[in-house]
Amino acid sequence: MRVLAVCFAIAVATFGPSGPAGADGPRLRADDFSYLGAFRLPDTGERPQTFDYAGNGMTFYPHGDAAGAGDGFPGSLILTGHERIPGDVPDGDQLAEVSIPAPVKSKNLDQLAQANLLRGFTDTLARPFAAMMELPTVGLAYLDRTATGPRIHVAFGQHFEPEPAQPTHGWFDPDLSPGSMRGAWFIEDASFYSVSGYLFEIPQDWADQHVGGYPLATGRFRDGGWSGMGPAVFAYRPWSDATGAAPAPGAHLKAIPLLLYRDTRETEAIEGALAGYQQPDEWEGAAWLTTRAGKSAVLFAGTKAVGAKFWYGFVNPSGPGKPCVWQEVVGQYPVCRLADGRDCPPSDLKECSGHDFARGWWSSAFQAEFMLYDPADLAKVAAGQLKPEQPQPYAHLPIDTSLRLSVDLSVADWIGSGVQRRQRVGPVAYDREHQLLYVLELFGDGAKPLVHVWAVR
């Protein structure tokens, strides 16, 4: 287990060459983020009505917990519980609402406040997404517009695209009632792997100026580059502008690409990619941040592979710097690469002995971080001035030292440990009015996620 200092993680950041201000106004910088601490999710019942093995989707609900403590953290969080497991927990990813207690800066769980369960669990997502069970991905975004009233929008996917193709998007009422569910819909002309993950609000003034008023951003990053070699973002609007009516089930919604890197199924070369891309990268959370000071950024939260080598296979029990590739796929595609994209030497293309069962993409090192994009670059994509694969982040903000990064022995075999710990952070939610960013640390509290809070100025 790693021993971490309690210092603020965003003290170290890297900034791109384009300077501190974008064309649409000043950009957020590292010193605009202040870590406030963390709080625990409730202890609940048996699966699936538990937050154990939860953390697929989360959104901020500004009208939740109206009778709360008045501690400066209003509203509530709506999030998914224990994830679906085929044949074992088929009714997982149920929805629940929790209060937001004041966060505390401590790595000691006993010193952290615990949220209250306000509502749930409800199996709201069962009907429209029943066919998707394998390693689900869920995006949630609260949005209140005159045309529709308050709705929680959802994106739902899984690790492999199902056959036949399944729709991925819908909405439901903030009371979480299954009867309010509408959808599901396809995102037109977009890959299943590029849209069925995170979901977040686009500021309406930016949307009106650049994407025809489309107020929602949907996207996904899938390891192995099947979604593109970096995070993807599409703007969309799931209703008629005139009436606000929900589209018919199975409808194909128009969408505008704002960020879309090249796909590893198109090319084996690492090109048209996120700078520093590695196939084990994980980008599970996203939010469009704005502040009263006029600053902004599109934020992705994830677990970045930063090792000298990355490969498809297993953790090598001899040490993190040594690949352990799955021998069965050697020769089918590049299964091991150096950080600069070159192929590993032939001596690395071996399956080691004594490895565990956790097959997947691994790097010799990972770190949790925020990655920031300039909204002005996405505006250029919408205007046709840049290709969707061209924008690059202007900052990487490491956050490991704010996390607990404890590993429960029951999950260590498949999420790794030490420098090779994967799945460090999951979805995020942003309270735009109070400029508070909520981030889930996966397995931060045993099998449950832990909620961390940053103030953004």
Side-chain angles (χ1 to χ4, degrees), residues 51-130:
F51 291 111
D52 288 349
Y53 303 96
N56 281 333
M58 178 174 70
T59 190
F60 174 73
Y61 179 44
H63 306 298
D65 199 20
D71 54 10
F73 298 89
S76 61
L77 297 175
I78 292 174
L79 64 167
T80 56
H82 193 299
E83 76 171 12
R84 295 178 180 181
I85 301 175
D88 192 12
V89 193
D91 52 352
D93 285 298
Q94 296 192 20
L95 294 166
E97 180 185 4
V98 302
S99 65
I100 302 175
V104 176
K105 286 185 180 180
S106 177
K107 302 293 176 69
N108 185 342
L109 293 174
D110 293 335
Q111 296 179 2
L112 302 183
Q114 191 163 44
N116 295 319
L117 182 66
L118 302 176
R119 228 171 351 170
F121 291 78
T122 64
D123 204 2
T124 309
L125 307 180
R127 177 185 56 79
F129 308 116

Side-chain angles (χ1 to χ4, degrees), residues 7 19 21 54 75 124 128 192 209 220 223 231 261 268 288 295 332 340 357 366 375 406 424 440:
C7 59
T124 309
F192 172 89
Q209 184 176 357
R220 181 177 171 183
D223 64 354
Y261 296 105
E268 290 187 348
W288 197 304
K295 298 180 181 180
Q332 296 181 24
D340 62 8
F357 64 90
F366 293 91
S406 62
R424 299 184 182 210
L440 285 188

Side-chain angles (χ1 to χ4, degrees), residues 22-394:
D24 285 355
R27 303 185 307 206
L28 288 165
R29 298 187 62 101
D31 57 7
D32 293 318
F33 292 78
S34 298
Y35 179 66
L36 302 182
F39 63 88
R40 304 175 73 180
L41 292 173
D43 294 320
T44 55
E46 299 298 320
R47 61 184 193 176
Q49 297 188 337
T50 172
F51 291 111
D52 288 349
Y53 303 96
N56 281 333
M58 178 174 70
T59 190
F60 174 73
Y61 179 44
H63 306 298
D65 199 20
D71 54 10
F73 298 89
S76 61
L77 297 175
I78 292 174
L79 64 167
T80 56
H82 193 299
E83 76 171 12
R84 295 178 180 181
I85 301 175
D88 192 12
V89 193
D91 52 352
D93 285 298
Q94 296 192 20
L95 294 166
E97 180 185 4
V98 302
S99 65
I100 302 175
V104 176
K105 286 185 180 180
S106 177
K107 302 293 176 69
N108 185 342
L109 293 174
D110 293 335
Q111 296 179 2
L112 302 183
Q114 191 163 44
N116 295 319
L117 182 66
L118 302 176
R119 228 171 351 170
F121 291 78
T122 64
D123 204 2
T124 309
L125 307 180
R127 177 185 56 79
F129 308 116
M132 291 186 278
M133 288 280 172
E134 183 209 19
L135 300 176
T137 57
V138 185
L140 299 173
Y142 171 81
L143 191 69
D144 187 358
R145 290 294 185 269
T146 301
T148 64
R151 298 285 186 268
I152 296 177
H153 298 264
V154 58
F156 202 104
Q158 66 174 19
H159 191 58
F160 286 103
E161 183 173 13
E163 294 182 1
Q166 296 293 311
T168 53
H169 287 65
W171 79 40
F172 54 90
D173 289 349
D175 66 6
L176 311 186
S177 62
S180 69
M181 187 73 214
R182 296 294 180 268
W185 314 303
F186 295 91
I187 299 296
E188 188 175 47
D189 300 329
S191 165
F192 172 89
Y193 297 113
S194 299
V195 296
S196 54
Y198 42 78
L199 196 61
F200 55 96
E201 178 189 12
I202 300 174
Q204 194 62 56
D205 56 349
W206 193 98
D208 290 341
Q209 184 176 357
H210 300 294
V211 289
Y214 286 14
L216 284 165
T218 186
R220 181 177 171 183
F221 176 87
R222 186 195 185 280
D223 64 354
W226 286 18
S227 56
M229 289 180 274
V233 176
F234 291 78
Y236 80 107
R237 180 177 57 213
W239 67 83
S240 163
D241 191 36
T243 67
H252 289 252
L253 308 179
K254 293 182 178 179
I256 299 172
L258 299 177
L259 188 64
L260 186 63
Y261 296 105
R262 293 197 67 186
D263 186 330
T264 53
R265 293 174 298 174
E266 303 172 29
T267 175
E268 290 187 348
I270 298 180
E271 57 188 13
L274 171 70
Y277 166 79
Q278 293 192 17
Q279 287 176 311
D281 290 351
E282 301 170 3
W283 300 108
E284 300 296 334
W288 197 304
L289 307 182
T290 59
T291 70
R292 288 183 292 275
K295 298 180 181 180
S296 64
V298 177
L299 172 144
F300 293 92
T303 307
K304 181 74 182 75
V306 294
K309 296 178 181 179
F310 60 96
W311 62 91
Y312 187 81
F314 311 90
V315 168
N316 194 322
S318 298
K322 300 178 181 180
C324 180
V325 304
W326 189 30
Q327 197 65 40
E328 186 173 321
V329 295
V330 172
Q332 296 181 24
Y333 55 88
V335 295
C336 183
R337 280 180 158 147
L338 308 181
D340 62 8
R342 291 179 297 151
D343 290 341
C344 293
S347 57
D348 285 333
L349 303 183
K350 298 177 181 178
E351 187 167 336
C352 61
S353 60
H355 64 71
D356 60 26
F357 64 90
R359 190 177 76 237
W361 283 104
W362 292 94
S363 178
S364 51
F366 293 91
Q367 70 177 20
E369 63 177 49
F370 296 155
M371 182 169 64
L372 304 182
Y373 281 77
D374 190 338
D377 289 338
L378 304 192
K380 291 176 182 177
V381 175
Q385 298 169 0
L386 289 178
K387 296 179 180 179
E389 66 192 47
Q390 288 185 287
Q392 292 291 335
Y394 67 86

